[in-house]
Amino acid sequence: MALGLLPAMALAGAAQVQQWKNLPGYQATDSLAEGDLNRAADVSATSQTFEASAADGASALRVYGWVVPPADGDYRFMVAASDTAVLFVSADGKPEGRKQVAMVPAGGGRMEWRRFAAQISKPVTLKAGRKVWVEAIEKSGDGGGHVEVGWMLPDGKTEEPIPAKRMETATQKVGLPTYESVKSTLTLKPEARPVTQPGDHLFPGGATVAMADDRFDMSYLLSLPSDYDKTGDKRPLLVFLHGNGHQGSDLGGILNEGPASFMNDRPGLRKWFPMIALYPQLPNNWRWDSPGAAGMVVGLIEQVCQRYPRVDRDRVYLTGLSMGGKGTWLVALESPQTFAAIAPISAVATRPKSAGARLATLNYVWIICGERDYLFTQGSRQMDEALRPTLGDRVKLTVVPGGEHGCWANYYPTRPFYDELMKHRRGQK
C-alpha cells in the first residue's frame, strides 16, 4: 500500500501507517534509539494488509495494529523490508508490553522473508480470538522504502502479508516503542576451566546466557600467546567480533575468519602475537545488533578477566568486521569504560548522534573501510565526523584506496595493526 493512496481513517481490519520524511541514516534501531521519530509523522494512512511503502527517500515507515489469531497454537512472525526494519509483538495485546521479535538487518525485495534468519521470530504461543499487538518500523536511506509483516500459522500455512480478515483497527493514538538495552547475565560454565597452555582453546557452549525470557549457551574461543606458559606478566586482551554467516556453536567459523584465521596461516604472526585473544561466537539466528547481544559480549569479557587475572584491564581492545564492525560500535556504546581502543572495520554508521558523547572516554578509535564499499564507506565517514568534535585526533579514519568490503585482509594479518592498538591504555589521553 503506497502512502497517500488511502486516507487515514478507521477501517475495520486495517493497519495504521505513518511516514517520517527527510530523516538521516539507514538503521531503524538508530532512529528509535536516538529519538528521530519523536516528532509528528509527515504522513498518516491506513492499509488493509499489514504493509506499507513510500516513494520518498530518506524516510522511516511505521505500520502497526492488532491481529487476531484464528486458532490456538504457536505462530512465527515475519518481516521483510527494502532496508533495515524491526518487528515488535505483544502477545497480550497491550502495546506497552511489545518486544522485538525479528528484524531485517539489510534490505531486500518485497516479500523477501528469508534472506536472513533474523527476519523470522521464534514461536509465539497465542490464543484464538485474543488480539495481539504487532508493529514494524523501517528506515530507508534513499529511493523510497517498503515494509511487510506476515506470519506462519500453527498448521504451517503462511499469510504474506497478514490480511485484513486477521486485523482489528487501532483507532487510538499509540506512542512509539522505547528502545531499551536488553539486560543479560553471562556466566562461564564450571567445566570451562582456565587454561594455561599457548594456542587456541575452544569452548563450545562454554558460557550460559540468561535473559528475562530466554536462556541459552554461547561458545567462545580463547587464544593464549606462544610464551604464556613461560612468563607471568599481565597481557593485553584483544576481542574480535565475527561477521554474518559465522554464527553457531562449533567455532569453525571463528577459525576461518579474522585474526584467528590469519594466525593459523602465518606461524610467524602467531609466534609474535603478545595478546590474549577472545573470540565470542553468536548462537544461530543471532546478530551483534540483536537485543542483548552487546551485553553478552561485555559479560563475557568480564567473566574472562575474572577467570584470567593476567589480563591487563587497562589494555582491552575491541575489533570486528562487517556485522562484527557494527557490533564493535554497539559493544563499545554498551560499555565504553571497558576498552582502551576500538577498531571497527567495514561497518555501517551506528548511533552517530549519541556516539560522540558516549565514547568520549576511549583513548583511540580507528575506523577502517574500503574506498568502494558504498554504504559501509559512507557509514565509516559519518562516524568519523560524529566522533571528531569530541575525540579530536583520538579518532582516525583509514580509507583503503580502491578497497572493497574485505579490506580487513590488509590489517588483521599484519603486526602494525596490533602494535597500533597496543600503544593505548585505558584512561590515557
Side-chain angles (χ1 to χ4, degrees):
M1 195 284 305
L3 286 183
L5 297 182
L6 187 63
M9 55 184 177
L11 295 174
Q16 298 289 349
V17 177
Q18 294 176 307
Q19 180 194 11
W20 289 261
K21 297 182 179 181
N22 301 317
L23 287 182
Y26 290 85
Q27 302 294 313
T29 49
D30 290 353
S31 295
L32 285 173
E34 305 206 295
D36 291 342
L37 309 184
N38 289 343
R39 64 174 172 85
D42 296 300
V43 180
S44 295
T46 54
S47 174
Q48 291 181 293
T49 51
F50 218 110
E51 61 178 320
S53 63
D56 309 81
S59 69
L61 289 169
R62 180 193 187 199
V63 56
Y64 64 92
W66 285 298
V67 299
V68 182
D72 292 353
D74 289 341
Y75 292 72
R76 290 180 183 268
F77 290 85
M78 307 180 293
V79 60
S82 57
D83 294 271
T84 66
V86 285
L87 177 64
F88 300 87
V89 170
S90 176
D92 65 5
K94 298 177 182 178
E96 57 269 23
R98 61 201 150 188
K99 295 181 179 179
Q100 182 178 321
V101 299
M103 68 183 302
V104 182
R110 186 173 180 273
M111 308 292 181
E112 188 177 1
W113 308 102
R114 294 170 176 80
R115 184 177 180 188
F116 301 98
Q119 291 178 249
I120 301 176
S121 77
K122 295 179 180 179
V124 181
T125 303
L126 304 175
K127 290 287 188 181
R130 186 176 296 176
K131 63 184 182 182
V132 178
W133 182 263
V134 180
E135 179 170 352
I137 294 175
E138 180 269 351
K139 178 70 186 72
S140 55
D142 50 43
H146 62 82
V147 59
E148 302 86 41
V149 178
W151 63 357
M152 181 183 294
L153 283 66
D155 62 3
K157 295 179 180 178
T158 61
E159 294 179 334
E160 307 172 4
I162 298 173
K165 67 181 181 180
R166 306 295 189 202
M167 291 192 288
E168 182 177 322
T169 305
T171 57
Q172 76 274 37
K173 184 177 181 179
V174 177
L176 289 157
T178 300
Y179 185 86
E180 297 179 354
S181 177
V182 175
K183 303 301 179 185
S184 62
T185 301
L186 182 144
T187 54
L188 300 184
K189 293 182 178 179
E191 57 267 31
R193 296 177 180 175
V195 292
T196 58
Q197 292 302 306
D200 292 338
H201 301 273
L202 280 62
F203 294 94
T208 299
V209 179
M211 296 183 178
D213 56 358
D214 204 359
R215 186 180 181 90
F216 52 88
D217 290 341
M218 181 179 183
S219 301
Y220 63 96
L221 166 69
L222 190 76
S223 184
L224 299 180
S226 59
D227 62 346
Y228 190 80
D229 57 340
K230 299 179 177 62
T231 63
D233 58 329
K234 284 186 172 291
R235 295 300 180 98
L237 175 67
L238 178 78
V239 182
F240 168 75
L241 304 183
H242 62 76
N244 193 36
H246 293 284
Q247 296 91 325
S249 59
D250 63 355
L251 294 163
I254 304 299
L255 290 166
N256 292 314
E257 180 181 61
S261 173
F262 289 117
M263 288 183 202
N264 286 337
D265 292 341
R266 293 165 171 78
L269 180 65
R270 177 177 289 277
K271 183 177 180 180
W272 163 82
F273 192 75
M275 292 188 275
I276 298 170
L278 175 63
Y279 307 86
Q281 183 179 30
L282 283 166
N284 285 323
N285 302 328
W286 275 73
R287 290 176 49 87
W288 297 119
D289 48 12
S290 297
M296 285 161 37
V297 177
V298 174
L300 179 62
I301 294 169
E302 177 60 29
Q303 288 283 305
V304 167
C305 287
Q306 290 181 19
R307 191 161 289 192
Y308 295 84
R310 287 179 62 184
V311 171
D312 185 344
R313 288 186 178 237
D314 289 328
R315 293 189 292 166
V316 178
Y317 310 107
L318 176 65
T319 185
L321 60 86
S322 193
M323 178 188 70
K326 182 180 182 181
T328 298
W329 289 120
L330 290 170
V331 172
L333 288 164
E334 179 83 9
S335 183
Q337 68 277 8
T338 299
F339 305 103
I342 66 172
I345 304 182
S346 301
V348 295
T350 306
R351 316 275 164 82
K353 285 171 60 176
S354 58
R358 183 69 179 157
L359 301 179
T361 59
L362 288 176
N363 183 253
Y364 185 59
V365 177
W366 189 5
I367 305 168
I368 301 171
C369 65
E371 182 184 29
R372 300 177 180 174
D373 202 12
Y374 306 105
L375 180 61
F376 302 91
T377 308
Q378 180 181 343
S380 296
R381 293 185 186 277
Q382 185 178 357
M383 293 303 290
D384 175 62
E385 293 171 2
L387 295 179
R388 197 161 294 279
T390 304
L391 276 72
D393 59 7
R394 286 183 286 133
V395 60
K396 174 183 177 182
L397 173 65
T398 298
V399 180
V400 180
E404 299 181 349
H405 196 56
C407 66
W408 51 79
N410 295 44
Y411 295 91
Y412 287 142
T414 70
R415 286 180 53 169
F417 173 77
Y418 305 105
D419 282 331
E420 180 72 9
L421 294 179
M422 288 188 293
K423 292 177 183 176
H424 305 280
R425 301 181 65 90
R426 186 173 59 171
Q428 178 187 42
K429 293 293 188 291

